[in-house]
Amino acid sequence: VAGSLSKSELLGFKAIPTSTADTVTVPEGYKAEVLVSWGDPIFANAPTFSQQNDASAQAQQFGDNNDGMTFFPLANDRALLAVNNEYINDEFLFTHGGKNISADDARKSQAAHGVSLVELKKVDGRWTVNPQGRLNRRITAYTEMAMTGPAAGHSLLKTAADPSGKKILGTFNNCANGETPWGTYLTCEENFNGYFASEKTVTLGKTYQRYGISDTDWGYDWYKHDERFDVAKHPNEPHRFGWVVEIDPMDPNSTPKKRSALGRFKHENAALTVNDDGHVVVYMGDDERGEHLYKFVSAGKYDPSKGSANRDLLENGTLYVAKFTGSDDELKGQGEWLELTFGKNGLTPENGFPDQASVLIFAREAATQVGATTMDRPEWVAVHADNKHVFCTLTNNKYRGVKDSQPLNAANPRTKNPYGHIIRWAPTQGDHTQPTFEWDIFVMAGHPEKQSGLMAGTDNINKDNMFNSPDGIGFDRAGRLWIQTDGDYSNEGDFAGMGNNQMLCADTQTGEIRRFLTGPTSCEITGLTFTPDSRTMFVGVQHPGAHFPAGGDAIPRSSVIMITKDDGGVIGT
Ligand code: FEO
Ligand code: CA
Ligand code: CA
Ligand code: CA
């Protein structure tokens, strides 16, 4: 499965050991520096960072918990970095730790979410934030957006504040990302359910339960100061989140567009590829135990000569969900994409789907209706541009083989899957629009020293490259697969010898995997992007838990790290 394990010509760096230190470590000959941290000013007159900053300060500063990101080059020495700000940590965002939050606190929390668009300029050969940049922008949980596609204007999206069902305020829990060949940025709404609550005790129906929406939130308390988050008062507001949002980063006054054709679920990233025939294909994971893996195929075709005429290709198309069959002895098999279109595959009024909008708004239930395979938390997807192979991280799943609804299956073959794995598939004839594919498991993370059988991991795991819970992945231009982890960093028991969360690099031809970076205490590593020359890599350190990056007694701050090679070479060589 893992290939020949012959010596890789793609990987040129010396692997590093694990770490439990409160710092970022990279291989010999490489340098890691902080580019920007939560609370750094990104406009000319913005206040400098302080834990005392209020909502209006936060709205002019870099958001919290940076996740997926994309580097958009503007010139040799100018660029725009678009970065998701997934969520906040009460204990660090507020001096009072988040107890009894005020209206300004709630607004500050909303302003720390969303997306930060930050111009960079090269000074003395090194990228730095340019607070004067014309394109600098904060998109928050209250920025006006437009709903587009088949669900726009549907009755399930209409609220007291928006009778049109097309004008939505904000985006939040922006996990990972994507980018399009027409120059836009895609930001993906993940755990949106955690922001809705009610003063009243209410029992919500199964379409809410399937997404984890209830009268109790995850502690954000927005509903106490912003009524639209009270799910008893405004039961349609949660339907307006859980989407992929398209942003034009080159126009700071543009209205972000929610793309309903891509379905509503807990989106991880949006791995977009242009098929040989011009159809735009987007692969998407739904990060929850036992949820599914999706594919969108645009109705129209991308034509590079048509410029802005391509801009609405994500407005209409067909959504599919994956079904995997095969053998868990061989860790490979066949797959099928099941269409999520009203009137097909049992998606009918009798089964609770009166129209295409309801299929998209309740995509999870539509996926169950058509018989999709339950997966071990599908996180990021990455497409190899040349050989058309597609990879998806299945980060872990404590319910696998435990809950009746999530029995073992060939593609998810380990009880409780504590370490996670990366599945790979090849679309039939290299055509991403085909309804079938062949799959195998590229790597099963594990512990070859403490475990046996499937729990030991595949042949490409050894005592020197052990890790758990692969999450962020992405290919660089040369086809190296970068793997980031969000897992158990206890360094004990079943995870002894794995250290802090980390980033590894794989040669998907040979199967070899080497550790490239280790993160600070209790962080996860998430988000990656490169300059076009591949000589600077940007990597995210999210929710560090001790004192990174300032050290001493400082509170920790999520940060974007910039990695360069001392000899100016390509990262990974
Ligand atoms: Fe935001 Fe599934 O990670
Ligand atoms: Ca993730
Ligand atoms: Ca994760
Ligand atoms: Ca995270």
Side-chain angles (χ1 to χ4, degrees):
V1 170
S4 64
L5 289 179
S6 59
K7 187 160 169 48
S8 171
E9 287 174 9
L10 270 181
L11 311 184
F13 63 92
K14 190 172 165 216
I16 62 168
T18 58
S19 167
T20 55
D22 193 28
T23 190
V24 170
T25 310
V26 289
E28 231 172 80
Y30 286 83
K31 182 161 66 179
E33 302 164 90
V34 174
L35 174 75
V36 62
S37 300
W38 158 53
D40 281 349
I42 61 164
F43 295 97
N45 296 310
T48 54
F49 171 76
S50 158
Q51 201 182 23
Q52 272 106 29
N53 286 148
D54 64 6
S56 80
Q58 178 63 71
Q60 304 169 68
Q61 296 169 332
F62 192 70
D64 201 358
N65 277 283
N66 48 276
D67 204 314
M69 57 185 154
T70 298
F71 182 94
F72 293 94
L74 300 171
N76 277 341
D77 58 353
R78 276 186 69 219
L80 181 68
L81 192 66
V83 188
N84 287 350
N85 297 116
E86 190 179 28
Y87 68 107
I88 55 105
N89 304 100
D90 274 352
E91 65 273 37
F92 304 128
L93 189 72
F94 306 116
T95 51
H96 52 68
K99 288 180 192 67
N100 301 318
I101 70 164
S102 67
D104 190 78
D105 291 339
R107 197 67 164 175
K108 180 181 181 184
S109 173
Q110 292 182 338
H113 282 73
V115 180
S116 297
L117 297 138
V118 187
E119 276 200 40
L120 307 182
K121 66 176 176 186
K122 237 177 180 174
V123 178
D124 299 330
R126 183 175 167 279
W127 290 104
T128 57
V129 168
N130 176 16
Q132 320 289 333
R134 190 182 61 82
L135 302 178
N136 293 348
R137 183 179 187 186
R138 279 304 321 281
I139 289 170
T140 69
Y142 50 85
T143 301
E144 187 176 322
M145 330 219 139
M147 177 54 85
T148 74
H154 192 271
S155 57
L156 284 165
L157 299 183
K158 292 179 179 173
T159 63
D162 172 30
S164 76
K166 293 180 180 175
K167 195 171 109 179
I168 297 173
L169 294 184
T171 185
F172 46 85
N173 217 276
N174 303 79
C175 186
N177 64 314
E179 61 248 356
T180 69
W182 52 94
T184 59
Y185 181 69
L186 304 175
T187 183
C188 304
E189 298 174 346
E190 193 187 21
N191 295 303
F192 64 93
N193 59 309
Y195 298 79
F196 293 94
S198 181
E199 298 287 1
K200 285 199 228 153
T201 303
V202 285
T203 305
L204 299 165
K206 68 180 176 68
T207 59
Y208 291 86
Q209 289 168 17
R210 179 67 185 265
Y211 288 85
I213 300 156
S214 74
D215 56 17
T216 307
D217 71 2
W218 291 2
Y220 297 102
D221 281 349
W222 292 358
Y223 73 103
K224 292 180 177 170
H225 300 284
D226 190 345
E227 190 184 293
R228 67 192 169 105
F229 293 98
D230 187 321
V231 69
K233 289 182 182 153
H234 302 288
N236 279 348
E237 191 70 12
H239 299 146
R240 294 147 63 91
F241 299 90
W243 302 103
V244 172
V245 187
E246 184 169 9
I247 297 168
D248 178 359
M250 299 307 151
D251 177 3
N253 297 313
S254 59
T255 302
K257 294 175 178 171
K258 298 206 178 192
R259 295 302 192 186
S260 69
L262 278 63
R264 174 174 167 264
F265 42 91
K266 294 187 182 179
H267 281 279
E268 187 72 20
N269 80 334
L272 185 149
T273 189
V274 179
N275 200 46
D276 286 347
D277 67 359
H279 284 290
V280 173
V281 175
V282 189
Y283 292 103
M284 300 170 287
D286 179 357
D287 180 9
E288 186 131 33
R289 298 174 187 95
E291 287 298 337
H292 306 294
L293 178 65
Y294 295 81
K295 176 180 85 167
F296 167 85
V297 180
S298 65
K301 291 181 177 183
Y302 176 66
D303 180 345
S305 70
K306 287 196 176 152
S308 62
N310 293 300
R311 292 200 152 239
D312 286 314
L313 281 169
L314 301 182
E315 189 156 348
N316 284 296
T318 308
L319 191 63
Y320 301 84
V321 66
K323 180 178 180 176
F324 292 79
T325 52
S327 140
D328 51 3
D329 296 330
E330 296 178 302
L331 300 179
K332 63 182 185 182
Q334 291 75 45
E336 196 184 338
W337 291 105
L338 308 171
E339 190 173 336
L340 299 177
T341 297
F342 171 65
K344 293 188 181 174
N345 298 328
L347 299 172
T348 58
E350 303 81 76
N351 290 324
F353 300 96
D355 48 32
Q356 183 61 17
S358 60
V359 169
L360 296 169
I361 294 167
F362 305 124
R364 285 183 163 185
E365 293 185 289
T368 298
Q369 177 68 43
V370 304
T373 300
T374 65
M375 307 298 285
D376 287 348
R377 297 183 58 194
E379 297 226 53
W380 293 48
V381 181
V383 184
H384 191 292
D386 297 332
N387 66 22
K388 316 285 172 64
H389 291 174
V390 193
F391 294 72
C392 176
T393 50
L394 297 158
T395 195
N396 56 52
N397 182 2
K398 64 185 179 189
Y399 297 154
R400 176 64 62 193
V402 176
K403 284 198 172 182
D404 290 344
S405 57
Q406 297 179 44
L408 298 179
N409 61 54
N412 301 271
R414 292 193 297 195
T415 301
K416 295 185 181 174
N417 193 10
Y419 300 113
H421 57 290
I422 302 179
I423 198 164
R424 162 173 58 189
W425 65 93
T428 300
Q429 295 167 337
D431 177 353
H432 292 287
T433 68
Q434 285 287 316
T436 54
F437 56 89
E438 302 266 332
W439 64 268
D440 70 358
I441 288 178
F442 170 66
V443 60
M444 197 157 260
H447 203 308
E449 297 198 308
K450 301 191 82 148
Q451 306 271 19
S452 59
L454 284 180
M455 286 294 178
T458 36
D459 290 350
N460 46 354
I461 293 296
N462 56 62
K463 68 173 175 43
D464 295 322
N465 69 2
M466 291 188 298
F467 64 93
N468 74 88
S469 304
D471 186 342
I473 49 171
F475 282 102
D476 64 19
R477 279 170 182 74
R480 294 177 200 86
L481 182 67
W482 297 84
I483 304 169
Q484 305 178 319
T485 73
D486 171 22
D488 188 307
Y489 48 80
S490 65
N491 206 32
E492 292 174 356
D494 290 347
F495 305 97
M498 296 185 181
N500 291 351
N501 278 307
Q502 56 195 273
M503 182 170 75
L504 307 101
C505 187
D507 181 333
T508 60
Q509 301 296 315
T510 67
E512 184 179 348
I513 299 172
R514 287 185 203 171
R515 186 179 300 108
F516 181 86
L517 174 149
T518 58
T521 306
S522 40
C523 79
E524 75 178 79
I525 300 297
T526 185
L528 71 159
T529 188
F530 294 86
T531 53
D533 63 8
S534 300
R535 293 169 196 272
T536 303
M537 180 181 194
F538 300 89
V539 174
V541 168
Q542 196 192 48
H543 61 82
H547 306 288
F548 184 84
D553 294 330
I555 58 166
R557 293 161 71 191
S558 293
S559 302
V560 175
I561 307 299
M562 177 168 62
I563 297 168
T564 50
K565 208 174 169 190
D566 297 342
D567 67 5
V570 168
I571 307 303
T573 57

